[in-house]
Amino acid sequence: MSQHPNIVHVAVPRPLRTTLTYGIANEHIPAIGARVIVPLGKQLSTGLVLKVESRPPSPDENFELKPIQQVLDETPLPDPSWLELLDWAARYYHYPIGEALFSALPVTLRKPKPLSARMLKLLAIPDANPPSPPAGEGLGMGGNLLTLSDEQQLCLQTIQQWSQSDNPRPTLLHGITGSGKTEVYLRLIAPLLTAGRQALVVVPEIGLTPQLLERFTRFFPGANIVCLHSALSDGERLKTWLLARSGQANIIIGTRSAIFTPAPQLGLIIVDEEHDTSLKQQEGFRYHGRDLAVKRAQMLHIPVVLGTATPSLESLYNVQAGRYRHTRLQQRPGVAKPPSLQIQDCRPFALEAGLTPPSLQAIRATLQRGEQVMVFLNRRGFAPALFCPSCGWQASCHHCSVNMTWHARRNRLVCHHCGAEQATPAECPSCHNPKLTTQGQGTERLELVLQNTFPEFPVVRIDRDSTSRKGELEDKLATVRSNAPLILVGTQMLAKGHDFPNLTLVIILDIDQSLLSTDYRALEKLGQLLVQVAGRAGRAEKPGQVILQTSQPQHPLLHQLVGHGYTPFARQLLEERKRWHFPPFGYHALIRASASSMEKATKLLDHISQQLADSGFDIQRLGPVPAPLEKRANRYRAQLLLGSHQRASLHNAVKFILANETKLPGRSSVRWSVDMDPMDFT
Ligand code: ADP
Ligand code: ZN
Ligand code: ZN
């Protein structure tokens, strides 16, 4: 037995850059990964054991170690590879290790309580019954299987062959919308399940999971498929987590946080819609689900497949650089053909709720043929501005630097940034003019105008407001799937994944803002969105048509996209990024600050910038500047962009900033954060 004290390194869910050390008697030493209860200041906290040493304390540690109060888990819940992934992620994203670990645990496990006996049972798999399926039943594929097209078959074989490598490179599966990528995923997973391994499927959005789950269940009727998404209760989430942890869950489907599901038998990771920015968490622990999928696969030496119709510039660049492999699906199986895209100059026309007369005619013709139409407008509410035509007063949010959106049905003004609401004033608060006017279009107005214009056809609006009640979205989607002629009005929620066979016309409104945006990612995102939305049209026998309304019809990149397709468009964007040394040709970190005044926020960032310059870091510094959304929820927001050709230099600079954190001016009143590889600059 060791004479030396046991030093236990424990991560606690606090904004600390290091673990804390505690003592414990020899007979109670916890395992790595076990949860413990430790004293923290005057309180107690749950912690996770990361390291145990038995050595004399170093001079700076030479004080009495506080004892661990209780060991909660005999057998640790996280497995070593889970800890390794989170440790890597916390370092890469410069996020406190304890907070990173605890945010990746189900809520129930964050509490200072041992696991209930019932839950413990889920973890225990009798040795006699390994997770592989009993012969002749269970995991086999279901009936009514589609026959893969030659192209799909080739793609499948190619990926399977690549996957045989001991250290497979990530594969980018670039398949146009509706090319049958999901069918390829299913067949990639099949042999894994028979071998008793697990597969993890990460999707960007919750809206996609029920449809996907249904397809997986049909394909693998005997498999244990679990779904992790934000709507699960704490109990359900824990259960799912434990099923995955024990190896009993064969397939795990979930949104970005699913990347942190423990799965000891993991044999394949699939990231669907890899380009989607919602795979990046935009607050707190700002990790990218796709990038962590690639990292996790690399750590485990297993294949990872990144599927999309519109690859991110990062992934295309990784293909060019030879880091990723690349395979394509360029046709829709069966008779479905990609839709035809058309740019429509809306300047010559008087618009009806944003729609041109030719668009309205196209809608009428489509409905009369018994087919469905989708009008895509990425703005909910009735109108984005309410103003007084006589004195110019505008309804703006008291807490943010934006206009409030008028929601006609509820007759309220709503701020889409902070959620503040107020009654619509009966008259102008400034000059008492009783006739206030609205400006611009939202989905509510579009719905109303379309209802009045086409009274004989249903109009189904799908946005966050119209689907907030439980079951509402499912009901609306079911109506659309009945295939009766109708008009679908929708936002982002409708952009991806959904498969509506009788939808043959898509009209896309209001893209001009993105065409003119200064955000270097705006055009990439717009191109992806347009292709995804367009991809909703003509997914079955009938050909699809897409109309893109714009007042910038000459925009060269728009022409590139419509005339030549996504790949040349993306190549041109990559050329531009290269010229500016922007990602993926350089690396960015965004330092955000917010405070009760712009001055305070800027001052802190100025200080950081100055410190970096004084200390001789070879880092590009842009800013500080006010954020595009200057004020949000009563806080003024500023940002400082750091750039470098070398990832390592950027990391060193951020480490330096964090190490000197305590010297920052106004630190107690300014909230600030680091965002590595930022996707969103609002
Ligand atoms: P993606 O994931 O690439 O958008 P999906 O896998 O969802 O494409 O397939 C699009 C549609 O085509 C689905 O309705 C699917 O059932 C159908 N499909 C896919 N592969 C085939 C095939 N080999 N034969 C016939 N239909 C197919
Ligand atoms: Zn007025
Ligand atoms: Zn607001």
Side-chain angles (χ1 to χ4, degrees):
M1 202 179 283
S2 164
Q3 320 260 324
H4 297 308
N6 298 311
I7 303 173
V8 186
H9 297 256
V10 177
V12 293
R14 294 289 138 78
L16 302 172
R17 298 283 155 190
T18 58
T19 50
L20 301 177
T21 47
Y22 292 91
I24 197 155
N26 277 333
E27 57 274 29
H28 295 130
I29 292 180
I32 307 297
R35 292 175 308 138
V36 290
I37 301 180
V38 291
L40 193 64
K42 290 198 168 78
Q43 296 168 322
L44 292 177
S45 166
T46 320
L48 213 58
V49 174
L50 295 189
K51 193 164 124 187
V52 183
E53 298 174 286
S54 184
R55 56 163 173 82
S58 62
D60 61 323
E61 286 176 329
N62 213 351
F63 48 84
E64 185 104 18
L65 285 174
K66 283 192 192 155
I68 286 179
Q69 290 257 326
Q70 191 187 339
V71 176
L72 290 170
D73 307 316
E74 286 285 320
T75 323
L77 299 172
D79 60 287
S81 73
W82 186 90
L83 290 171
E84 192 192 356
L85 176 70
L86 275 144
D87 181 57
W88 186 89
R91 283 171 207 273
Y92 183 88
Y93 294 105
H94 298 278
Y95 199 65
I97 175 70
E99 292 193 323
L101 287 164
F102 275 81
S103 72
L105 281 178
V107 172
T108 322
L109 294 181
R110 299 177 202 169
K111 296 179 183 150
K113 270 199 204 132
L115 208 57
S116 70
R118 198 164 57 89
M119 287 297 165
L120 266 176
K121 253 198 219 139
L122 285 178
L123 263 186
I125 348 164
D127 285 345
N129 187 12
S132 57
E137 59 161 77
L139 297 167
M141 301 183 212
N144 298 327
L145 293 188
L146 293 169
T147 315
L148 288 191
S149 66
D150 290 348
E151 197 189 31
Q152 282 170 312
Q153 191 65 42
L154 184 65
C155 172
L156 172 69
Q157 281 165 357
T158 308
I159 300 177
Q160 275 173 336
Q161 199 193 336
W162 288 340
S163 305
Q164 311 265 303
S165 154
D166 291 338
N167 217 343
R169 271 184 268 161
T171 300
L172 176 66
L173 168 49
H174 179 186
I176 63 167
T177 53
S179 59
K181 293 183 287 297
T182 313
E183 291 300 319
V184 174
Y185 302 156
L186 292 169
R187 286 161 178 85
L188 283 171
I189 293 172
L192 231 79
L193 300 194
T194 348
R197 315 246 351 226
Q198 296 171 289
L200 173 61
V201 183
V202 181
V203 295
E205 210 148 313
I206 165 78
L208 298 181
T209 37
Q211 214 183 340
L212 203 66
L213 185 65
E214 192 228 349
R215 267 173 93 175
F216 274 71
T217 320
R218 236 184 311 138
F219 197 87
F220 299 113
N224 189 346
I225 305 174
V226 296
C227 210
L228 276 160
H229 51 75
S230 51
L232 290 184
S233 71
D234 289 349
E236 289 167 327
R237 183 175 300 276
L238 175 63
K239 193 176 158 198
T240 310
W241 197 90
L242 293 172
L243 286 173
R245 169 68 180 95
S246 69
Q248 293 167 86
N250 307 115
I251 304 174
I252 301 139
I253 303 178
T255 44
R256 69 178 171 245
S257 63
I259 195 57
F260 296 125
T261 315
Q265 302 298 328
L266 194 59
L268 170 67
I269 308 178
I270 289 167
V271 181
D272 196 24
E273 314 286 2
E274 67 84 24
H275 64 278
D276 199 302
T277 49
S278 55
L279 287 167
K280 173 98 196 262
Q281 175 129 314
Q282 307 286 17
E283 56 189 27
F285 187 14
R286 293 183 159 89
Y287 62 90
H288 200 304
R290 174 201 60 215
D291 296 348
L292 287 182
V294 169
K295 190 69 204 173
R296 188 170 181 184
Q298 184 200 354
M299 285 173 164
L300 295 171
H301 308 288
I302 60 170
V304 54
V305 176
L306 311 177
T308 177
T310 51
S312 62
L313 298 189
E314 276 76 8
S315 294
L316 284 176
Y317 176 65
N318 280 323
V319 170
Q320 285 179 6
R323 282 190 287 270
Y324 292 1
R325 294 183 188 267
H326 183 216
T327 169
R328 297 201 60 169
L329 289 174
Q330 311 204 55
Q331 291 149 19
R332 290 184 170 186
V335 282
K337 293 279 164 295
S340 69
L341 241 73
Q342 166 195 344
I343 298 175
Q344 193 186 84
D345 182 359
C346 58
R347 289 170 304 178
F349 300 109
L351 304 181
E352 186 78 31
L355 288 159
T356 62
S359 290
L360 287 166
Q361 267 160 27
I363 295 176
R364 186 175 306 282
T366 307
L367 293 170
Q368 280 168 353
R369 284 198 307 272
E371 296 163 9
Q372 297 177 333
V373 178
M374 176 163 112
V375 185
F376 180 87
L377 173 63
N378 213 1
R379 195 185 298 115
R380 53 201 179 86
F382 190 88
L386 180 75
F387 73 103
C388 167
S390 92
C391 78
W393 170 88
Q394 291 209 344
S396 55
C397 179
H398 297 307
H399 316 287
C400 309
S401 51
V402 291
N403 282 336
M404 293 189 100
T405 300
W406 186 46
H407 286 243
R409 194 154 301 183
R410 293 191 292 139
N411 193 21
R412 290 182 75 80
L413 290 165
V414 181
C415 172
H416 285 184
H417 288 280
C418 73
E421 282 196 22
Q422 65 188 61
T424 310
E427 52 171 37
C428 170
S430 152
C431 76
H432 306 290
N433 168 15
K435 287 216 163 66
L436 295 175
T437 327
T438 61
Q439 199 175 34
Q441 318 300 331
T443 47
E444 257 189 31
R445 171 181 275 177
L446 199 54
E447 177 189 24
L448 185 74
V449 169
L450 288 166
Q451 258 162 5
N452 292 339
T453 317
F454 304 101
E456 62 284 32
F457 296 98
V459 178
V460 179
R461 171 164 63 98
I462 296 191
D463 57 27
R464 202 134 53 80
D465 301 316
S466 74
T467 55
S468 53
R469 270 182 289 121
K470 204 176 161 152
E472 217 168 0
L473 176 62
E474 288 70 23
D475 288 351
K476 291 192 172 212
L477 290 174
T479 309
V480 183
R481 290 223 183 79
S482 74
N483 289 343
L486 53 77
I487 305 173
L488 195 54
V489 171
T491 57
Q492 193 85 31
M493 280 180 78
L494 277 183
K496 46 205 156 183
H498 298 291
D499 210 356
F500 306 123
N502 198 27
L503 180 72
T504 59
L505 172 65
V506 171
I507 297 176
I508 303 174
L509 303 183
D510 207 29
I511 58 168
D512 293 351
Q513 222 176 343
S514 304
L515 287 174
L516 304 171
S517 169
T518 53
D519 171 358
Y520 68 84
R521 292 195 191 269
L523 276 173
E524 177 190 358
K525 287 185 202 165
L526 177 68
Q528 290 163 345
L529 182 73
L530 293 183
V531 174
Q532 295 289 341
V533 176
R536 300 309 115 213
R539 290 179 65 96
E541 303 85 55
K542 297 171 189 162
Q545 180 192 2
V546 181
I547 298 174
L548 218 61
Q549 281 192 201
T550 174
S551 55
Q552 304 284 320
Q554 300 308 330
H555 196 288
L557 276 158
L558 198 56
H559 275 269
Q560 177 82 296
L561 182 69
V562 170
H564 305 281
Y566 182 79
T567 306
F569 163 82
R571 281 212 193 100
Q572 193 164 337
L573 284 179
L574 267 177
E575 281 305 309
E576 284 180 19
R577 297 266 187 98
K578 189 174 183 176
R579 203 171 324 132
W580 295 103
H581 307 293
F582 277 172
F585 298 92
Y587 303 98
H588 277 171
L590 187 69
I591 315 289
R592 293 192 175 83
S594 74
S596 59
S597 74
M598 186 56 83
E599 208 186 328
K600 281 189 195 163
T602 312
K603 195 168 163 201
L604 181 125
L605 294 178
D606 259 329
H607 189 87
I608 290 179
S609 180
Q610 196 57 49
Q611 270 186 327
L612 288 174
D614 292 349
S615 306
F617 280 95
D618 181 20
I619 287 284
Q620 211 186 349
R621 291 164 289 125
L622 291 168
V625 291
L629 181 63
E630 278 189 34
K631 184 183 166 202
R632 177 176 175 176
N634 293 324
R635 297 186 72 86
Y636 290 85
R637 310 160 76 240
Q639 52 196 30
L640 170 69
L641 187 65
L642 306 179
S644 173
H645 298 296
Q646 306 263 311
R647 227 191 255 283
S649 321
L650 190 61
H651 279 289
N652 286 337
V654 174
K655 270 190 221 154
F656 171 83
I657 298 170
L658 290 166
N660 292 287
E661 193 170 8
T662 47
K663 297 180 201 146
L664 292 174
R667 204 169 76 90
S668 53
S669 59
V670 184
R671 270 183 230 149
W672 67 285
S673 62
V674 177
D675 187 358
M676 301 304 292
D677 310 325
M679 302 297 274
D680 180 15
F681 295 90
T682 49

